[in-house]
């Protein structure tokens, strides 16, 4: 291939890349708002994305922390006031309701289908620069990000790592795939060239539904903490599961009937491979429900029934 052919091939590849990014921008950018809030700590800013035609917006909880509402400004120049419907610091997600929204909502995607190296586009308002678009790839999947609400600490699971440039003000903005589906909410800048986003998946969809309907997220509590360990070969052969969760702490008053050293294999018929997979099951629908727990105790299978209580209601 001569130099001219190589140049044409490079131009064609660049054009294809540009078409994808500009297509995503055209689809997502109108639905991303720049937020202005005022709290006792002072003025704040961030981004949010319209997820419902009735004026619901999704953003990061830390963007609106301490605020009851604020102003959302869209790329077409319109501004509207919003109120905070509910915020959940333990997932760093918040739902807002705007007084008036004249744009179409975004389509929510599925972060579970992302692959490392896949193109993603970040849309937000970094450093006060409204309507900014950056592109990059998925650099990592399955990351964890600690979140705190008072004395409670929780890991946000399955966080997306991307090299799409993110800066202060991007938080709460959209991370979209090549089809313009929003697969994440940009939440933090971990360092130069490193951005993180809370994924859109069944867990976060449940959180958004709880915030929308109840203004808060109810979480179930088993009162145990653990660390992932390999399962014995015979258990793996029987279940197809390679790892379980060894219990390293049992909080006094735990409703689980589980002891130190037990290895949790499944809860409610769903495999438990690590702390995040157990945490994923501990949302509102599990409160007060009899959950069968299969575990290994001194090398033998043991089945117990746990009835999770509500976190914070003990």
């Amino acid at each position: 291939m001569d130099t001219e052919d190589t140049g044409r091939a490079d131009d064609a590849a660049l054009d294809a890349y540009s078409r994808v990014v500009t297509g995503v921008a055209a689809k997502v950018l109108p639905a991303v708002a720049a937020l202005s809030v005022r709290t006792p700590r002072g003025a704040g800013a961030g981004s949010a994305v319209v997820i419902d035609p009735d004026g619901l917006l999704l953003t990061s909880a830390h963007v609106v922390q301490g605020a009851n509402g604020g102003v959302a400004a869209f790329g077409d120049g319109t501004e509207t006031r919003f109120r905070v419907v509910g915020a959940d610091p333990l997932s760093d997600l918040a739902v807002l309701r705007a007084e008036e929204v004249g744009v179409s909502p975004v389509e929510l995607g599925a972060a579970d289908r992302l692959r490392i190296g896949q193109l993603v586009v970040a849309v937000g308002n970094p450093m006060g620069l409204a309507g900014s678009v950056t592109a990059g790839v998925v650099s990592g999947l399955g990351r964890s990000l600690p979140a705190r609400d008072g004395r409670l600490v929780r890991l946000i699971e399955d966080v997306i790592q991307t090299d799409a440039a993110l800066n202060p003000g991007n938080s709460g903005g959209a991370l979209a795939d090549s089809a313009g589906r929003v697969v994440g909410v940009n939440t933090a800048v971990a360092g130069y060239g490193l951005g993180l986003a809370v994924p859109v998946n069944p867990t976060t969809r449940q959180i958004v539904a709880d915030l929308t309907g109840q203004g808060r997220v109810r979480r179930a509590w088993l009162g145990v903490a653990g660390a992932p360990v390999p399962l014995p070969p015979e258990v793996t052969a029987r279940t197809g599961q390679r790892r379980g969760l060894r219990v390293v702490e049992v909080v006094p008053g735990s409703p689980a009937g589980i002891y130190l050293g037990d290895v949790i294999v499944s809860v409610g018929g769903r495999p438990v491979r690590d702390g995040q997979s157990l945490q994923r099951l501990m949302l509102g629908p599990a409160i007060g429900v009899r959950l069968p727990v299969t575990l290994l105790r001194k090398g033998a299978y043991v089945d117990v029934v746990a009835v999770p209580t509500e976190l914070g209601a003990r």
Side-chain angles (χ1 to χ4, degrees):
M1 181 180 292
D2 59 27
T3 303
E4 185 176 349
D5 290 338
T6 301
R8 281 198 295 266
D10 289 343
D11 289 344
L14 180 60
D15 287 345
Y17 177 86
S18 298
R19 284 195 296 270
V20 170
V21 177
T22 55
V24 173
K27 190 173 183 179
V28 177
L29 195 54
V32 175
L35 301 183
S36 298
V37 300
R38 183 165 293 279
T39 72
R41 296 177 293 123
S47 305
V49 58
V50 179
I51 59 171
D52 182 273
D54 292 332
L56 290 181
L57 290 84
L58 182 62
T59 187
S60 299
H62 72 266
V63 169
V64 295
Q65 183 179 7
N68 294 320
V71 176
F74 291 89
D76 62 2
T78 61
E79 293 187 355
T80 182
R81 297 202 63 82
F82 69 83
R83 63 179 177 87
V84 178
V85 175
D88 180 43
L90 294 180
S91 65
D92 198 21
L93 293 173
V95 173
L96 320 174
R97 184 175 293 280
E99 292 178 355
E100 185 176 355
V101 172
V103 300
S104 298
V106 297
E107 177 185 356
L108 295 180
D112 295 343
R113 299 177 185 172
L114 290 176
R115 298 292 182 267
I116 292 176
Q118 184 174 336
L119 174 66
V120 286
V121 179
V123 184
N125 305 280
M127 312 295 290
L129 301 174
S132 294
V133 176
T134 57
V137 299
V138 175
S139 306
L141 293 168
R143 306 300 194 215
S144 297
L145 182 68
R148 181 181 295 273
D149 184 12
R151 292 181 298 173
L152 297 176
V153 179
R154 180 181 184 269
L155 289 178
I156 303 173
E157 63 189 43
D158 297 330
V159 170
I160 305 164
Q161 176 189 335
T162 175
D163 67 352
L166 299 177
N167 290 288
N170 265 118
S171 285
L175 186 71
D177 63 16
S178 58
R181 297 178 294 248
V182 173
V183 293
V185 177
N186 300 321
T187 188
V189 181
Y192 291 107
L194 177 63
L196 301 175
V198 174
V200 174
N201 60 24
T203 301
T204 53
R205 285 175 182 267
Q206 180 65 53
I207 289 170
V208 171
D210 288 348
L211 290 174
T212 302
Q214 306 169 27
R216 68 186 186 98
V217 177
R218 300 177 68 214
R219 287 188 170 85
W221 179 75
L222 276 180
V224 299
V229 294
L231 292 174
E234 61 273 18
V235 176
T236 297
R238 174 176 171 178
T239 64
Q241 184 176 332
R242 295 182 179 277
R243 302 177 74 81
L245 186 70
R246 182 181 297 278
V247 177
V248 298
E249 181 183 3
V250 178
V251 179
S254 164
I258 298 172
Y259 302 105
L260 285 176
D262 287 350
V263 176
I264 301 173
V265 178
S266 67
V267 173
R270 300 177 65 178
V272 172
R273 299 179 176 87
D274 49 32
Q276 289 93 336
S277 58
L278 178 60
Q279 183 175 275
R280 189 179 300 123
L281 302 175
M282 294 293 101
L283 288 174
I287 298 171
V289 174
R290 292 172 58 87
L291 291 177
V293 179
T294 297
L295 46 84
L296 292 174
R297 180 175 294 164
K298 298 180 179 179
Y301 271 106
V302 175
D303 291 316
V304 299
V305 175
V307 182
T309 57
E310 183 173 355
L311 183 65
R314 305 185 303 281

